[in-house]
Amino acid sequence: MATSETSPFESREMLATFLSSTPLLSNSWSLCTQANATPFRSFLADRVAGVVYVAFSGVHMAGESDSNWRNLTALDSIGGVPLFSSRRTKEGEEPVMVHTGMLNLFSSLFNSFQNQILEIVGSKDTKSVVITGHSIGGATASLCTLWLLSYLQSISSSVPILCITYGAPLLGNESFSQAIFKERWGGNFCHVVSKHDIMPRLLFAPITPLTTQISSLLQFWHFSMTSPDFGKIAVQISDKEKAKLFTAVMDYLEAATQDVETSVPNLFHPFGNYFFVSEEGAVCVDSPSAIVKMMHLMLAASSPTSSIEDHLKYGDYVNKMSSQILNQRNSMQKNIPDSSYEAGLELAIQSSGIADQESTIISAKECLNSTRRMGPSPTQNAASLAVSLSKVVPYRAQIEWYKTWCDEQDDQMGYYDSFKSRGSSSSKRDMKVNINRCKLARFWDNVIGMLERGELPHDFDKRAKWVNTSHFYKLLVEPLDIAEYYGKGMDRSKGHYMQHGRERRYEIFDRWWKDKRVMTGEENKERSKFASLTQDSCFWARVEEARDWLNCVRREIDTNKLAQLWDKIENFEKYAMTLIKNKEVSSDVLAKNSSYSIWVKDLRELKQLKAKVQRFPHQFTGFLDGEVVP
């Protein structure tokens, strides 16, 4: 039995320490500063050894219209590259959406940097890429990273990509955050947020002329922290207005942490890792609920003035980071807690900058404790799944035996049609196979659920054992799902299986198998005999659609629609013949009384009739009028 494993919070503090000890923060911030000082260029790039840094300017959005302040736009693709391939929106689930203005900004810049970034990534000298940006530039950097991750995944590239943002505003809704988590891209994002900075928290506030004005002013401040115009710009916002904005953001942050409904719903949710920095140090958090709570607790220790001006002080935090953490560790030596977990927790509280406020320490500890993972580690879960797989293998073996038995019967119907036609008076054999089909579905749905919740290793879907096993399951069992769907007439109420009935697990397994073949360069090998399982698990669904097209041809009188139907029929005929020629179908496909064989026979008869109609049209006026049904 696997032992429970805690995920100690010190791993978060250790991650902050590690990141602070690398040149990633200093190098990325340095380039961000240069990018903000050259606003008429969409981005700057710099190579440090094998690492390429790409920084987006944060001053492009000063003219963005007020109407886009809290508007969201559905996000299906970026730059023509589809996103979130493993995710299928469930019925009633909110679609993935992002901030309209930020997406428009990204779209307007995309053509200017697309080819250059692809050239950078494709260079043999590039070992990894860090995409960064301050404020609005951070939002652009996040969208660019998503586009690049999707593109690299489509070509199975392994170039590491990291996005580091500074004081970036929230970008998308909860579905957006969950989709990034399910794609396992959360670790590619590190959002640096200072203790007082109001910009990352600004979208929790309602739409007002004040919030829009301050957002625009903050963008102008990016030119230079030492700009001679800084003081002139800052005084445009009175202390009263600063206090009003601060209160509005705090009220909505507090409501968000307590799930309290307000007149303005919380549309935006954090994603990825948040690297909270203060004068005392830094701490990493990756739980969305904990991130919002920490945003609230840390801002509560701020003042209205500091919450606005702190947006420009990330250079100070970055420069002090290493010495701050070293001082923390030295101070901890004087009073070491009983456990490593408590030590990590104490360091995290100190790093957040709220350790001197007793009223918030308890809330902060509760918040950070909530991020502590209890239970088996991903590696232990994977090992347990391997044991569970061995227990369901007999169910699969019984279905394999059932297929062999069906293919050998005198009725010559084959595997698919035998299961489809079993009806209400099915035998114990049929019932047992159906039960096993359902048990296997539950097992694989659980595997996918664990993977999407982050309970399995990040490379689980790349491991040959699981990719091959899931593929074999799909080829063996999906024909039974299709038979069940059409046998019960669900196509008449819902529509055809491919569009309306296919389970999401099969779509995911399709992607696993495709990714494996791309990575290994695997190609179809020439076969000397027919496959044991038809290599297109949806073949029978395509047959059912082709049968429907034949029926439509018999009834259709519109010549344009008839031409379209015949095109579909002929395309499927060619596709099926190619599979058969390459021996990529199982022998049951060619069984004398299988649905496919009957379809071929019906098609031949209809083609013969069609030829006669074209040759002697005056003898088939009824047929041409749709009155004769062979």
Side-chain angles (χ1 to χ4, degrees):
M1 180 178 178
T3 57
S4 294
E5 177 205 45
T6 60
S7 177
F9 187 81
E10 66 261 29
S11 64
R12 298 286 182 259
E13 189 272 336
M14 289 170 64
L15 179 58
T17 302
F18 172 75
L19 186 58
S20 300
S21 66
T22 70
L24 286 169
L25 292 177
S26 58
N27 287 345
S28 60
W29 175 253
S30 176
L31 199 61
C32 279
T33 303
Q34 296 178 48
N36 286 339
T38 53
F40 298 106
R41 297 184 63 179
S42 61
F43 77 95
L44 294 179
D46 187 28
R47 184 182 296 274
V48 181
V51 180
V52 177
Y53 292 83
V54 177
F56 286 91
S57 172
V59 298
H60 286 281
M61 208 174 166
E64 184 63 41
S65 67
D66 297 350
S67 62
N68 285 332
W69 174 244
R70 287 178 65 90
N71 287 358
L72 290 167
T73 299
L75 183 69
D76 298 319
S77 64
I78 291 182
V81 178
L83 295 178
F84 312 130
S85 57
S86 68
R87 188 175 183 276
R88 177 181 172 187
T89 303
K90 298 177 182 178
E91 187 175 351
E93 186 178 25
E94 187 180 17
V96 171
M97 305 186 79
V98 296
H99 190 285
T100 300
M102 296 173 196
L103 182 60
N104 289 343
L105 170 63
F106 175 83
S107 299
S108 69
L109 301 174
F110 183 74
N111 290 333
S112 66
F113 65 74
Q114 177 186 12
N115 293 333
Q116 293 171 272
I117 291 184
L118 290 180
E119 184 177 347
I120 289 172
V121 174
S123 171
K124 294 181 179 179
D125 297 329
T126 301
K127 305 302 181 185
S128 59
V129 178
V130 176
I131 301 176
T132 186
H134 177 220
S135 192
I136 303 300
T140 306
S142 293
L143 289 170
C144 178
T145 301
L146 282 175
W147 160 70
L148 194 53
L149 287 170
S150 300
Y151 173 78
L152 294 178
Q153 178 174 274
S154 70
I155 63 173
S156 299
S157 173
S158 58
V159 176
I161 305 295
L162 176 64
C163 178
I164 302 178
T165 70
Y166 296 91
L170 296 172
L171 185 56
N173 64 353
E174 185 175 9
S175 292
F176 176 71
S177 175
Q178 291 175 348
I180 290 174
F181 174 78
K182 291 176 181 178
E183 289 287 350
R184 309 183 74 77
W185 289 341
N188 296 88
F189 294 89
C190 177
H191 304 290
V192 183
V193 173
S194 72
K195 176 181 177 179
H196 308 292
D197 187 5
I198 202 169
M199 176 60 95
R201 302 155 166 101
L202 200 58
L203 285 174
F204 284 102
I207 306 171
T208 66
L210 176 62
T211 54
T212 306
Q213 175 197 7
I214 291 178
S215 175
S216 298
L217 287 172
L218 284 173
Q219 294 163 40
F220 283 113
W221 291 2
H222 299 166
F223 283 104
S224 174
M225 292 178 62
T226 59
S227 169
D229 294 328
F230 174 76
K232 297 178 182 179
I233 297 173
V235 297
Q236 293 184 39
I237 307 174
S238 68
D239 290 341
K240 183 177 181 181
E241 290 173 325
K242 292 177 184 177
K244 186 176 180 181
L245 175 68
F246 181 82
T247 301
V249 174
M250 281 295 297
D251 288 345
Y252 279 85
L253 267 172
E254 185 172 8
T257 61
Q258 299 176 1
D259 293 326
V260 176
E261 292 188 5
T262 65
S263 58
V264 180
N266 177 24
L267 302 177
F268 297 90
H269 290 255
F271 67 94
N273 297 276
Y274 270 65
F275 190 83
F276 289 105
V277 295
S278 70
E279 296 86 349
E280 291 77 17
V283 60
C284 283
V285 182
D286 61 1
S287 165
S289 59
I291 289 168
V292 175
K293 183 69 174 178
M294 289 299 294
M295 279 187 169
H296 172 249
L297 292 172
M298 294 179 76
L299 189 64
S302 307
S303 67
T305 300
S306 64
S307 68
I308 293 179
E309 296 177 353
D310 208 48
H311 187 59
L312 301 174
K313 295 183 178 179
Y314 284 96
D316 294 341
Y317 291 119
V318 169
N319 294 333
K320 296 176 181 177
M321 199 71 66
S322 297
S323 58
Q324 288 170 334
I325 292 178
L326 182 61
N327 291 334
Q328 277 185 17
R329 291 188 177 278
N330 290 335
S331 66
M332 284 291 293
Q333 298 298 320
K334 301 175 183 178
N335 186 20
I336 301 176
D338 295 334
S339 70
S340 60
Y341 175 77
E342 290 297 329
L345 190 58
E346 290 296 331
L347 281 170
I349 296 297
Q350 286 188 28
S351 300
S352 67
I354 56 178
D356 57 342
Q357 302 175 41
E358 289 295 331
S359 60
T360 58
I361 288 178
I362 295 176
S363 295
K365 284 188 174 181
E366 290 176 352
C367 170
L368 297 178
N369 270 321
S370 69
T371 68
R372 188 182 187 186
R373 186 187 67 239
M374 303 298 293
S377 69
T379 301
Q380 288 174 318
N381 283 331
S384 298
L385 268 184
V387 175
S388 300
L389 176 63
S390 67
K391 294 179 180 179
V392 301
V393 164
Y395 305 146
R396 191 184 71 186
Q398 290 174 20
I399 295 178
E400 289 182 73
W401 173 84
Y402 175 78
K403 181 182 185 305
T404 302
W405 179 84
C406 290
D407 293 346
E408 294 175 349
Q409 294 305 295
D410 294 337
D411 58 17
Q412 299 185 54
M413 294 176 64
Y415 177 52
Y416 170 77
D417 287 283
S418 294
F419 191 76
K420 176 186 174 184
S421 62
R422 71 191 191 282
S424 57
S425 58
S426 57
S427 64
K428 290 183 179 180
R429 183 188 300 105
D430 295 326
M431 293 174 62
K432 184 68 174 178
V433 166
N434 196 40
I435 291 172
N436 290 346
R437 178 180 70 90
C438 296
K439 287 180 177 179
L440 288 171
R442 285 196 295 270
F443 170 80
W444 286 107
D445 283 343
N446 179 58
V447 170
I448 292 170
M450 293 178 68
L451 181 62
E452 293 181 339
R453 291 191 297 271
E455 297 171 6
L456 295 172
H458 71 281
D459 63 343
F460 182 86
D461 56 348
K462 302 293 188 295
R463 297 182 178 182
K465 171 183 177 178
W466 290 99
V467 174
N468 293 337
T469 304
S470 62
H471 183 64
F472 183 86
Y473 157 76
K474 180 188 68 173
L475 297 184
L476 177 68
V477 177
E478 188 166 16
L480 298 183
D481 286 11
I482 298 169
E484 181 79 355
Y485 190 84
Y486 285 96
K488 289 191 172 181
M490 285 187 275
D491 57 304
R492 293 191 291 273
S493 58
K494 296 182 178 181
H496 281 295
Y497 175 87
M498 293 287 291
Q499 295 77 31
H500 305 286
R502 197 177 192 216
E503 292 292 342
R504 179 169 168 262
R505 77 180 84 92
Y506 296 128
E507 296 177 353
I508 293 174
F509 296 157
D510 281 344
R511 182 171 59 85
W512 289 9
W513 184 251
K514 178 183 177 182
D515 290 348
K516 178 205 170 189
R517 296 185 68 182
V518 171
M519 290 176 62
T520 61
E522 183 180 329
E523 297 180 358
N524 287 338
K525 297 180 180 179
E526 188 173 341
R527 297 176 180 273
S528 59
K529 61 180 181 179
F530 286 110
S532 59
L533 295 169
T534 299
Q535 297 303 290
D536 178 1
S537 62
C538 291
F539 178 80
W540 292 109
R542 303 185 202 282
V543 171
E544 295 289 355
E545 285 196 67
R547 293 179 68 182
D548 189 37
W549 295 334
L550 279 187
N551 290 331
C552 290
V553 164
R554 294 185 177 109
R555 298 189 300 267
E556 187 59 64
I557 59 174
D558 186 301
T559 55
N560 290 329
K561 292 181 179 179
L562 270 174
Q564 293 174 4
L565 286 169
W566 276 113
D567 283 343
K568 291 179 180 180
I569 290 170
E570 289 171 0
N571 287 336
F572 173 71
E573 183 184 24
K574 292 176 183 177
Y575 172 73
M577 291 304 297
T578 300
L579 289 182
I580 294 170
K581 179 182 178 181
N582 295 336
K583 293 183 168 56
E584 293 181 1
V585 297
S586 173
S587 58
D588 64 312
V589 170
L590 301 176
K592 181 180 179 181
N593 295 316
S594 73
S595 291
Y596 175 72
S597 295
I598 293 174
W599 178 83
V600 170
K601 180 182 177 183
D602 290 344
L603 176 61
R604 186 184 304 117
E605 292 176 353
L606 198 57
K607 280 185 175 181
Q608 291 173 352
L609 184 58
K610 179 184 177 184
K612 291 179 180 178
V613 169
Q614 292 173 341
R615 187 175 180 182
F616 306 107
H618 59 282
Q619 297 179 12
F620 293 90
T621 53
F623 177 83
L624 293 173
D625 293 334
E627 299 173 2
V628 177
V629 179

